[in-house]
Amino acid sequence: MKKQDITFGIHALEAVLNHSPERVIEMWVLQGRDDQRLTPLLEIAAQYGVSIQKTSRKALDEKAGSTQHQGILARVKAVKQLNDNDLLALVEKTDTPFLLILDGVTDPHNLGACLRNADAAGVHGVIVPRDNSAGLTPTVSKVACGAAEVVPLFQVTNLARTMKSLQDKGIWIIGAAGEAEHNLYQADLKGPLAIAMGAEDKGLRRLTRESCDSLASIPMSGSVSSLNVSVATGICLFEAVRQRIS
């Protein structure tokens, strides 16, 4: 039997039904909830013969392991786990790759928010180490608001080795680091690019930092010494977007 997952939240389930409805096995909906946000999802699910059951809020809370399910939850076939080979295949077929590397982001809320940023910025893929990183959990999918279904997440065995492979393919890797001599707005972010972000408490690990082609900082004027990683990621990605469309 294929591995199965739980997905919950309106945006997350909408993305699954729009992009890969064949993955949805069965759905549960909060009893008594009947509104315009849920109706289109239920209609699509019904078209694909998905079993839809009405249940209590307590049952949904227990199935989701969360109270943030927005009254809808589904059991789905797990998405294929992507690795180094899948990443290189993507790079080969992409004219100007735009990638995001997340080093040591273990909080699923932060990973979900970074995936949402990546989708909005047009990133082709997000790369994380297989160990010491959050994976695609129901919480990640919920926070990502559908981005987890459309932005490929590559889980790699050796991040430094993967970065070297990307550099061999002509991709410039710039790492965000507070101690960098130059700031983000002085960096050239056009062309084949990967932006590497570290966990907010520790930043990039030493080997990851040393594997970057260059480092850049985000100018900070206030008393706060660091930003949440998803906020910092959004700033870096959209500066790249600005440069790439100007």
Side-chain angles (χ1 to χ4, degrees):
M1 177 180 286
K2 291 185 177 180
K3 184 181 176 183
Q4 297 170 358
D5 288 331
I6 292 293
T7 297
F8 56 81
I10 292 173
H11 292 294
L13 273 168
E14 183 177 38
V16 176
L17 286 167
N18 285 335
H19 295 281
S20 48
E22 71 284 350
R23 288 179 52 215
V24 182
I25 301 166
E26 57 184 330
M27 294 175 65
W28 291 270
V29 181
L30 180 62
Q31 195 163 21
R33 176 161 183 179
D34 182 19
D35 57 50
Q36 293 181 347
R37 297 186 73 192
L38 285 185
T39 300
L41 300 186
L42 300 180
E43 289 177 349
I44 296 172
Q47 289 174 11
Y48 285 94
V50 176
S51 170
I52 303 171
Q53 303 173 48
K54 295 185 178 181
T55 189
S56 67
R57 182 175 298 278
K58 180 181 178 182
L60 286 175
D61 292 350
E62 291 174 352
K63 288 180 183 295
S66 167
T67 60
Q68 305 300 311
H69 45 68
Q70 298 178 304
I72 188 167
L73 176 148
R75 186 161 59 91
V76 301
K77 296 174 184 174
V79 69
K80 176 181 180 287
Q81 194 173 84
L82 302 176
N83 57 28
D84 302 73
N85 293 331
D86 298 306
L87 172 61
L88 294 179
L90 173 75
V91 169
E92 289 285 353
K93 67 180 183 182
T94 306
D95 289 337
T96 309
F98 182 22
L99 304 169
L100 172 63
I101 298 169
L102 298 175
D103 182 28
V105 175
T106 57
D107 186 309
H109 292 86
N110 282 337
L111 177 58
C114 287
L115 285 169
R116 190 174 181 180
N117 285 337
D119 178 46
V123 166
H124 297 114
V126 176
I127 303 159
V128 299
R130 191 180 305 279
D131 300 321
N132 193 38
S133 173
L136 279 181
T137 65
T139 298
V140 170
S141 295
K142 167 69 169 57
V143 175
C145 289
E149 299 300 322
V150 293
V151 179
L153 181 72
F154 301 94
Q155 297 178 295
V156 302
T157 305
N158 186 313
L159 186 56
R161 186 172 62 204
T162 297
M163 292 169 71
K164 178 65 168 61
S165 297
L166 293 175
Q167 290 162 328
D168 290 343
K169 297 290 185 182
I171 295 175
W172 184 263
I173 302 178
I174 183 164
E179 72 275 13
E181 292 183 11
H182 301 289
N183 70 50
L184 177 70
Y185 305 106
Q186 297 169 317
D188 183 355
L189 304 177
K190 299 183 288 292
L193 175 72
I195 295 177
M197 307 294 301
E200 61 186 274
D201 54 340
K202 300 177 182 176
L204 295 170
R205 290 178 295 174
R206 180 186 59 81
L207 190 55
T208 306
R209 187 186 298 111
E210 292 174 354
S211 298
C212 293
D213 292 296
S214 65
L215 299 174
S217 63
I218 296 174
M220 303 281 287
S221 300
S223 59
V224 176
S225 61
S226 66
L227 296 170
N228 174 276
V229 64
S230 66
V231 174
T233 296
I235 291 170
C236 293
L237 291 180
F238 278 92
E239 171 58 17
V241 170
R242 185 192 68 81
Q243 292 188 21
R244 295 161 88 86
I245 64 176
S246 61

